[in-house]
């Protein structure tokens, strides 16, 4: 394994950063050597572990790639490295203290050369496997430095100030030349040279700006979930990990993993949530623009006046409504650490929410709940001839009533009892239209489009809307307020040794494009 030294700096209070390798820069060893760009590409693209050491001592590991305390990145300048030493070890704290005081000023890397070439006494490293990086007291060769962050920033500020002063001077000279009405050939050449130098200085200023400090916005999901589960079980927990916030009554918003499980179960149990367009908002309401009238066009004679037409826009406002569920869990179950209590509650709440949500998205009156698709008068209906039966021709009429542009993503939605009627439709010879004999598979589609079943659509009866056919993602929007609030209480059911859990979800929905849907309506009695 070969060792080389490059620049390293102190980044912040607990990290060392610098370039483990500088590309296309000659190093004077017993021979001349140069590392070419991409030499460490195979290491970076693999999951190979690389160690960060002190003086190449494998007993003093201050970081490693596999746990994220050592990061490596290749850019145009070289191989950039950042090490976050383990401050719970003596040598980890010692190395930071030594760098801050200036006792350690250089860094070394260890690598195994996989491919190189020699040209006129110059060794060029084409490919190398990086093994480790080390903070060292005795470098393999001189010339590299290590600085504290404070000193580095001071040097950078001085250099930046000098560059900015020079930049201002050149800009002033350039402005004077450009204000002239006419420029000589020499002056034009001078303007071009000034512009080139100004661009170079601007690039230098950008490179001197310190890298932005990482912003920690949330605890890792596993920490959020652990805190959430502890809250559900009534144990001590770190409230700071519950980064999604609290409500005014003291409940906690569930972590993202809980929401994913909840939404997944809702999609399985309902029709509308899986088919409609679902939006998530963080504010109290959202307005969706809608084109209600477009521009006009007509064949016009030469020199004749053109009738103007302006597009007209309307707005649909969605205000999420409150949906609440309450469930009781025995304290024995909560105490059983083998039970995934968050998954259990997600399933319980999903079952309660699913029935109410689907009913509202289909039949809701819009008062305290979403306005349902079937309550939208703007959706065109195809009426059957009979109040008690459906003919095959009426299914075809319903299909053809939907504009062709929306048929490609359209689905049929109906009650299982209605589907039973359709399965029993026969031709003049007594053959089933949808199933070839009783041995045939139950049809999953009609006229090439999928069939979805739900008890929330009415069964066949006089005057009822019984079949929906349309592109529901274009027809109907569901708008969810971000987060599901979960609160626990041990007081109300104390004598029964039960803990109550309440979940509150806010959602709204409505028809945005009636043209993308058609409904089959039974004739009046």
């Amino acid at each position: 394994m070969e060792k080389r030294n490059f620049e390293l700096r102190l980044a912040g209070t607990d990290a060392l950063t610098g370039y483990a390798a500088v590309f296309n820069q000659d190093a004077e060893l017993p021979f001349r050597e140069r590392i070419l760009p991409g030499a460490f590409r195979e290491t970076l693209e693999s999951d190979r572990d690389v160690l960060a050491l002190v003086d190449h001592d494998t007993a003093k590991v201050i970081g490693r790639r596999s746990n994220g305390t050592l990061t490596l990145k290749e850019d145009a300048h070289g191989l950039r490295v950042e090490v976050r030493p383990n401050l719970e070890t003596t040598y980890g704290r010692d190395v930071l203290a030594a760098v801050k005081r200036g006792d350690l000023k250089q860094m070394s890397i260890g690598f195994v050369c996989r491919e190189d070439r020699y040209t006129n006494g110059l060794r060029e490293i084409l490919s190398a496997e990086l093994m480790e990086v080390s903070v060292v007291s005795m470098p393999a060769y001189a010339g590299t430095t290590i600085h504290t962050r404070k000193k580095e920033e001071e040097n950078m500020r001085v250099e930046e100030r000098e560059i900015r002063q020079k930049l201002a001077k050149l800009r002033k000279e350039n402005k004077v030349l450009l204000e002239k009405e006419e420029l000589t050939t020499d002056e034009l050449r001078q303007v071009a040279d000034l512009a080139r130098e100004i661009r170079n200085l601007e690039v230098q200023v950008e490179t001197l700006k310190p890298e932005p400090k990482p912003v920690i916005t949330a605890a890792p999901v596993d920490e959020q979930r652990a805190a959430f589960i502890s809250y559900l079980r009534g144990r001590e927990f770190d409230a700071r990990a519950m980064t999604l916030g609290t409500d005014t009554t003291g409940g906690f918003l569930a972590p993202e993993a809980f929401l994913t499980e909840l939404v997944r179960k809702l999609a399985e149990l309902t029709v509308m949530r899986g088919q409609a367009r679902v939006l998530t908002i963080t504010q109290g309401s959202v307005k969706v623009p809608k084109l209600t009238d477009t521009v006009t066009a007509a064949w016009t004679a030469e020199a004749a006046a053109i009738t103007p037409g302006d597009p007209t826009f309307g707005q649909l406002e969605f205000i999420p409504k409150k949906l609440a569920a309450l469930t009781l869990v025995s304290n024995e179950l909560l105490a059983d650490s083998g039970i995934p209590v968050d998954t259990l509650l997600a399933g319980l709440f999903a079952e309660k929410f699913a029935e109410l949500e689907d009913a509202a998205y289909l039949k809701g009156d819009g008062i305290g709940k979403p306005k349902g698709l079937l309550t939208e008068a703007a959706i065109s209906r195809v009426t059957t001839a009979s109040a008690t039966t459906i003919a095959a021709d009426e299914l075809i009429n319903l299909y053809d009533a939907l504009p062709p542009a929306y048929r490609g993503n359209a689905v049929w939605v109906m009650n299982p009892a209605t589907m039973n009627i359709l399965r029993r439709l026969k031709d003049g010879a007594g053959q089933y239209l949808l199933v070839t004999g009783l041995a045939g598979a139950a049809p999953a589609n009609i006229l090439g489009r999928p069939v979805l079943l739900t008890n929330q659509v009415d069964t066949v009866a006089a005057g009822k809307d019984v079949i929906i056919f349309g592109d529901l993602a274009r027809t109907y929007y569901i708008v969810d307020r971000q987060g599901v609030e979960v609160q626990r209480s041990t007081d109300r059911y104390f004598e029964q040794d039960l803990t109550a859990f309440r979940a509150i979800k806010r959602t709204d929905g409505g028809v945005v494009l009636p043209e993308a849907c058609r409904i089959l309506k039974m004739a009046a009695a």
Side-chain angles (χ1 to χ4, degrees), residues 413-440:
V413 181
M414 66 188 76
N415 193 289
T418 304
M419 188 60 184
N420 176 264
I421 294 174
L422 301 184
R423 287 195 183 106
R424 290 186 283 116
L425 289 176
K426 299 177 182 179
D427 61 16
Q431 299 295 319
Y432 289 106
L433 296 176
L434 298 185
V435 182
T436 305
L438 294 179

Side-chain angles (χ1 to χ4, degrees), residues 228-456:
F228 186 64
I229 292 174
S230 295
Y231 168 71
L232 295 178
R233 294 185 186 276
R235 301 170 182 168
E236 292 185 2
F237 64 95
D238 186 357
R240 293 172 297 179
M242 307 286 278
T243 54
L244 291 180
T246 61
D247 80 309
T248 56
T249 59
F252 283 91
L253 295 183
E256 183 179 352
F258 184 89
L259 297 178
T260 302
E261 179 72 8
L262 183 65
V263 170
R264 183 185 68 82
K265 288 181 178 293
L266 283 176
E268 291 174 354
L269 293 168
T270 65
V271 169
M272 293 299 292
R273 181 167 288 276
Q275 295 297 318
R277 173 81 181 276
V278 180
L279 307 176
T280 301
I281 62 174
T282 57
Q283 64 272 28
S285 66
V286 64
K287 292 182 179 180
V288 178
K290 180 181 178 181
L291 183 65
T292 58
D293 192 11
T294 185
V295 297
T296 58
W299 298 106
T300 306
E302 185 174 354
I306 300 174
T307 302
D310 295 327
T312 304
F313 291 90
Q315 281 190 335
L316 298 173
E317 184 174 16
F318 292 91
I319 304 174
K321 314 301 191 296
K322 181 177 177 179
L323 179 61
L326 182 70
T327 189
L328 305 177
V329 180
S330 71
N331 290 329
E332 288 86 351
L333 183 63
L334 290 177
D336 186 353
S337 60
I339 302 296
V341 65
D342 58 334
T343 303
L344 173 64
L345 288 176
L348 294 173
F349 289 139
E351 292 171 5
K352 290 181 179 291
F353 286 162
E355 183 179 359
L356 292 177
E357 278 196 347
D358 224 29
Y361 298 148
L362 286 166
K363 295 182 177 179
D365 58 11
I367 302 174
K369 63 178 71 69
K371 183 173 176 57
L373 183 148
L374 291 169
T375 63
E376 179 57 63
I379 298 178
S380 297
R381 266 71 170 172
V382 174
T383 305
T384 63
S386 169
T388 57
T389 61
I390 300 173
D393 286 348
E394 290 165 344
L395 292 178
I396 296 174
N397 291 340
L398 181 63
Y399 180 93
D400 288 338
L402 185 70
Y406 305 116
R407 294 177 192 169
N409 295 315
V411 296
W412 305 86
V413 181
M414 66 188 76
N415 193 289
T418 304
M419 188 60 184
N420 176 264
I421 294 174
L422 301 184
R423 287 195 183 106
R424 290 186 283 116
L425 289 176
K426 299 177 182 179
D427 61 16
Q431 299 295 319
Y432 289 106
L433 296 176
L434 298 185
V435 182
T436 305
L438 294 179
N445 61 72
I446 297 175
L447 297 175
R449 299 310 308 156
V451 177
L452 304 176
L453 303 178
T454 174
N455 289 322
Q456 303 302 333

Side-chain angles (χ1 to χ4, degrees), residues 176-184 187-188:
V176 171
L177 288 172
L178 293 177
E179 287 176 348
K180 290 186 176 182
E181 294 183 1
E182 294 185 6
L183 296 177
T184 65
E187 287 173 334
L188 288 171

